[in-house]
Amino acid sequence: MKTPLSYWERQTWYSDHDFCLIGGGIVGMTTALHLRKCNPSAKICIVERGHLPTGGSTKNAGFMCFGSVGELSANIEQYGVEATLATVKLRLEGLNLLRALTGDAAIDYQACGGYEYPTTLAETEALSQQIPLLNTLLSDHFDLDQTFTLRTEQVGETKSQLIYNQYEGSIDTGKLVTTLIRLCHQAEILILPSTEVKSYTTETTGITLQTDTHPVTCHRLLLCTNAFTPSLVEVPIIPQRNQVIVTTPVEHTLIQSCFHSHQGYLYFRPLGDQILIGGGRHLFPKSEQTETFANTEEVTAWLLSWVRQYLVPHQPVGIAHKWSGILGTGDPLQPLIQEVEPNVYLAAKMNGMGVAIGAKVGQLLAELVSKS
């Protein structure tokens, strides 16, 4: 039985918003913050189905990355140079915008760089051959000098040749989301958590959101629901589950940085004497094309075996924590930012790069809505 709303609750949280945003993750909150700058006196409300942001915003690895050699080379092969550079531009602008919005100290930003870890000599040689071209493209288009270089670092029991990206870094994902929530509160943006929107209806007088608690009314609606957008409006987005584990304490040799392998589909970083590792969805496409949160035995076993083979061989390794996030993916690489019907807009399909592009996507969506 639903508890009846008081007059004050209905007037404040559920009625007559100028802007309602569905989705309280990175995109939703940064969009709301940009909307506030464009509309200082507007009534803005974020409706979030979880008590914390649901999807990937609190479930990522905290990498401030824009693409490894393997990932960018694969993108160029599939989409071409122009489309790949357009995506890199969005990522770089998004990362800079996010840092400017939050401040580095608040999100524990570390300019530690990022590494790509090839697991075979043939892979190392193939990736190394791509470095000159990518460095030239990044220098010519973004004034980034010698982005990628070869470095020898200790990984596991041996020294390996890795590819270093000097312009990447890491953050604390929990501190990022906490900071964005604080900024929203300071900007007098309402947040309505634990409220799932089932559908919405549009009329000449406004828009009504049908939720699992009480209806919410607004004049303009913004969908910032990424992988879950198809449940509200028809869009070409494929949900992809991404699984993560954190090991029990081990004696590892990893330096404090971010690491990628498998064209970016696998990633890991040290957390004190533990190792966070996630990904692998490219190897299990049938099971991982889903919007169901879960950790499966096959993916968990593969991640754990990868740790045992490459990072801490000859040591007992267990799992201390595990979780999953849901990504919104699809072709082309660029996100969807558009008006889907009068006064209804969306920003979705982050393609696994929500941390990198989320703040820029939020800015672009807010500008689109404010100009309409």
Side-chain angles (χ1 to χ4, degrees):
M1 180 178 177
K2 298 177 182 177
T3 303
L5 295 174
S6 73
Y7 171 86
W8 317 108
E9 290 168 335
R10 185 179 300 278
Q11 290 298 108
T12 302
W13 283 280
Y14 292 87
S15 299
D16 201 33
H17 298 291
D18 294 298
F19 305 99
C20 263
L21 299 93
I22 306 177
I26 295 172
V27 174
M29 286 193 284
T30 56
T31 300
L33 290 166
H34 288 301
L35 274 176
R36 172 58 74 216
K37 292 180 181 179
C38 300
N39 306 271
S41 60
K43 187 179 179 184
I44 303 173
C45 181
I46 297 172
V47 183
E48 166 57 45
R49 74 175 186 172
H51 66 285
L52 295 174
T54 303
S57 292
T58 56
K59 297 174 172 62
N60 59 73
F63 286 15
M64 298 285 274
C65 59
F66 59 87
S68 64
V69 169
E71 180 183 358
L72 295 179
S73 298
N75 289 163
I76 289 174
E77 183 177 349
Q78 183 173 358
Y79 302 107
V81 172
E82 184 177 349
T84 300
L85 289 175
T87 303
V88 171
K89 181 176 185 293
L90 193 65
R91 294 170 180 175
L92 289 170
E93 290 180 353
L95 291 169
N96 291 331
L97 190 59
L98 186 64
R99 290 175 61 191
L101 188 65
T102 61
D104 287 348
I107 61 176
D108 194 22
Y109 174 77
Q110 303 293 323
C112 57
Y115 289 87
E116 183 167 16
Y117 176 43
T119 56
T120 66
L121 180 60
E123 185 183 6
T124 302
E125 292 175 350
L127 292 174
S128 299
Q129 293 175 5
Q130 301 300 317
I131 291 177
L133 170 62
L134 291 174
N135 277 348
T136 298
L137 288 172
L138 294 172
S139 175
D140 290 347
H141 289 81
F142 309 112
D143 199 27
L144 298 180
D145 182 48
Q146 291 297 302
T147 300
F148 298 109
T149 54
L150 291 171
R151 285 193 179 184
T152 301
E153 298 287 352
Q154 184 83 20
V155 179
E157 295 182 333
T158 61
K159 288 186 177 295
S160 302
Q161 199 165 52
L162 279 62
I163 302 173
Y164 180 66
N165 181 339
Q166 64 170 318
Y167 296 109
E168 296 188 336
S170 68
I171 59 170
D172 182 310
T173 291
K175 291 181 179 179
L176 168 63
V177 174
T178 300
T179 300
L180 291 175
I181 292 172
R182 174 175 54 80
L183 292 173
C184 285
H185 286 316
Q186 290 175 349
E188 297 185 354
I189 295 165
L190 297 168
I191 299 178
L192 195 59
S194 302
T195 304
E196 183 174 0
V197 178
K198 300 293 188 178
S199 63
Y200 67 88
T201 55
T202 58
E203 300 175 1
T204 55
T205 55
I207 300 170
T208 300
L209 313 184
Q210 302 299 333
T211 80
D212 57 354
T213 56
H214 302 278
V216 181
T217 62
C218 63
H219 299 286
R220 292 190 180 185
L221 176 62
L222 291 76
L223 309 179
C224 302
T225 43
N226 201 22
F228 307 105
T229 307
S231 67
L232 296 170
V233 63
E234 188 174 344
V235 285
I237 294 176
I238 301 170
Q240 297 268 6
R241 180 169 56 204
N242 207 58
Q243 300 184 40
V244 185
I245 64 173
V246 174
T247 70
T248 51
V250 292
E251 294 182 8
H252 65 75
T253 58
L254 294 174
I255 59 174
Q256 290 299 317
S257 190
C258 303
F259 297 84
H260 284 100
S261 192
H262 290 252
Q263 297 181 357
Y265 284 108
L266 178 78
Y267 51 86
F268 55 97
R269 64 183 287 192
L271 296 177
D273 60 358
Q274 298 170 282
I275 298 173
L276 179 154
I277 183 168
R281 60 184 171 86
H282 62 305
L283 300 176
F284 307 93
K286 291 184 178 180
S287 65
E288 299 313 291
Q289 285 191 11
T290 177
E291 58 180 44
T292 301
F293 292 93
N295 287 85
T296 63
E297 184 176 341
E298 58 181 0
V299 175
T300 299
W302 184 77
L303 292 172
L304 199 55
S305 68
W306 208 94
V307 172
R308 289 169 173 160
Q309 180 176 356
Y310 295 107
L311 305 183
V312 284
H314 313 303
Q315 287 188 50
V317 185
I319 298 174
H321 307 285
K322 58 182 178 180
W323 66 88
S324 64
I326 308 297
L327 314 176
T329 67
D331 289 330
L333 282 172
Q334 285 71 27
L336 295 173
I337 306 171
Q338 63 191 60
E339 184 174 11
V340 292
E341 60 179 287
N343 295 319
V344 180
Y345 308 80
L346 69 80
K349 191 165 70 69
M350 302 297 110
N351 269 316
M353 295 296 290
V355 174
I357 69 175
K360 184 63 180 180
V361 169
Q363 181 186 55
L364 293 173
L365 179 60
E367 290 175 351
L368 172 64
V369 174
S370 298
K371 292 176 181 177
S372 298

